[in-house]
């Protein structure tokens, strides 16, 4: 049921897209999605529920349901308001289940022509800049889902960025950078190196290369590994 909720062939106008989730156990707590509303809005999402097992998996599915519901019931709502509704639904459900959990979450809307607006709190978004062959970190200034029963405007600061032709947006969960092996933690620098080396080969190849590097780094997977990669193929 959980994997059926993930996009089978994610698409985004003027972009090449690929996503992958490899769970550490039978049920995972990671989430990624691309959602197109009937009103024409397109949202990208990635998140990670604390902990493992069935409770994390249920929370992940609740987040997806709440997000789709918020988008379709109020098509013109702001990203901040959608995030507020999403948090309220998650916090109320966790309280009813008497669970002390939270979910990192990045909600990103495509504004067209390679422009994006993001809210939430998650790991830094990584953007490969084709012109300079460098990776830029974009931090989100928000709050995790489920920490507070209600969140105010001060907890939701919007971040805007743009992709140029050939630039790549790399979204991921901490199972990528926090894989431990004999050399310690996989870390950001190894990940950035892989992005620089393989971003121009396309999203699917990049994901395959990262998964291969993780497997060589350590055969033990203790956390879910999720990636959503978007390469902008439009014009400047």
């Amino acid at each position: 049921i959980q994997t059926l909720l993930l996009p089978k062939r994610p698409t985004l106008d003027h972009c090449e897209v690929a996503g992958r989730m490899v769970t550490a156990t039978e049920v995972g707590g990671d989430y990624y999605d691309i959602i197109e509303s009937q009103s024409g809005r397109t949202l990208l999402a990635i998140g990670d529920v604390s902990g493992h097992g069935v409770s994390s998996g249920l929370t992940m599915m609740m987040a997806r349901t709440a997000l789709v519901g918020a988008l379709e019931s109020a098509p013109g709502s702001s990203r901040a308001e959608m995030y507020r509704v999403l948090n309220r639904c998650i916090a109320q459900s966790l309280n009813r289940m008497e669970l002390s959990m939270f979910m990192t979450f990045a909600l990103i809307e495509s504004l067209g022509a390679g422009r994006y607006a993001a809210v939430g709190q998650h790991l830094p978004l990584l953007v490969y800049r084709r012109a300079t062959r460098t990776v830029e970190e974009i931090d989100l200034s928000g709050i995790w889902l489920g920490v507070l029963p209600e969140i105010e405007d001060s907890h939701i600061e919007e971040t805007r960025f743009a992709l140029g032709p050939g630039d790549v947006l790399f979204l991921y969960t901490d199972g990528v950078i926090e894989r431990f092996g004999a050399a310690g933690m996989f870390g950001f620098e190894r990940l950035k190196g892989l992005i620089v080396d393989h971003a121009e080969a396309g999203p699917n190849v990049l994901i395959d290369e990262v998964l291969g590097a993780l497997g060589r780094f350590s055969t033990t997977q203790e956390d879910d590994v999720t990636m959503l990669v978007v390469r902008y193929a439009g014009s400047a």
Side-chain angles (χ1 to χ4, degrees):
I1 294 173
Q2 184 180 34
T3 56
L4 287 174
L5 291 174
L6 299 175
K8 293 178 176 61
R9 288 175 293 276
T11 60
L12 193 61
D13 285 348
H14 306 297
C15 295
E16 299 173 53
V17 185
R20 205 85 54 86
M21 181 173 76
V22 181
T23 60
T25 57
E26 188 171 332
V27 181
D30 280 3
Y31 168 64
Y32 77 89
D33 215 340
I34 294 182
I35 300 171
E36 296 183 17
S37 73
Q38 292 190 14
S39 62
R41 298 177 71 174
T42 302
L43 298 173
L44 294 78
I46 190 162
D48 183 2
V49 183
S50 59
H52 298 283
V54 174
S55 297
S56 296
L58 285 172
T59 304
M60 166 267 192
M61 290 189 284
M62 287 189 294
R64 203 260 176 193
T65 302
L67 177 58
V68 173
L71 181 60
E72 295 298 343
S73 63
S77 61
S78 68
R79 289 165 289 275
E81 181 56 33
M82 278 190 282
Y83 199 79
R84 257 193 298 271
V85 172
L86 182 55
N87 176 77
R88 191 178 303 130
C89 293
I90 294 297
Q92 289 176 355
S93 295
L94 291 174
N95 182 63
R96 177 169 291 189
M97 293 188 293
E98 298 183 348
L99 293 174
S100 179
M101 303 174 72
F102 60 85
M103 185 176 188
T104 68
F105 202 90
L107 180 62
I108 306 164
E109 183 165 10
S110 172
L111 306 177
R115 297 173 298 115
Y116 297 86
V119 295
Q121 180 58 267
H122 189 65
L123 294 165
L125 314 181
L126 300 180
V127 175
Y128 169 76
R129 300 296 184 186
R130 184 182 185 186
T132 58
R133 288 184 55 82
T134 57
V135 176
E136 176 185 348
E137 292 188 21
I138 299 176
D139 291 312
L140 301 184
S141 302
I143 189 170
W144 298 329
L145 295 174
V147 176
L148 299 175
E150 294 285 346
I151 52 180
E152 306 297 332
D153 287 342
S154 59
H155 298 134
I156 309 174
E157 182 178 336
E158 188 169 271
T159 300
R160 295 197 174 213
F161 63 95
L163 302 180
D167 287 354
V168 174
L169 172 63
F170 189 93
L171 307 177
Y172 57 103
T173 57
D174 59 11
V176 177
I177 56 170
E178 294 181 1
R179 175 75 69 93
F180 280 91
M185 193 169 70
F186 191 79
F188 280 104
E189 295 310 311
R190 287 186 178 87
L191 177 57
K192 288 181 180 179
L194 288 166
I195 293 172
V196 169
D197 290 343
H198 303 289
E200 297 192 35
N204 270 305
V205 171
L206 176 55
I207 289 175
D208 287 340
E209 291 292 340
V210 173
L211 289 175
L214 288 171
R216 291 188 295 273
F217 189 76
S218 173
T219 57
T220 302
Q221 182 182 345
E222 297 181 349
D223 198 1
D224 305 326
V225 170
T226 299
M227 291 171 274
L228 178 60
V229 182
V230 175
R231 180 166 70 173
Y232 182 56
S235 57

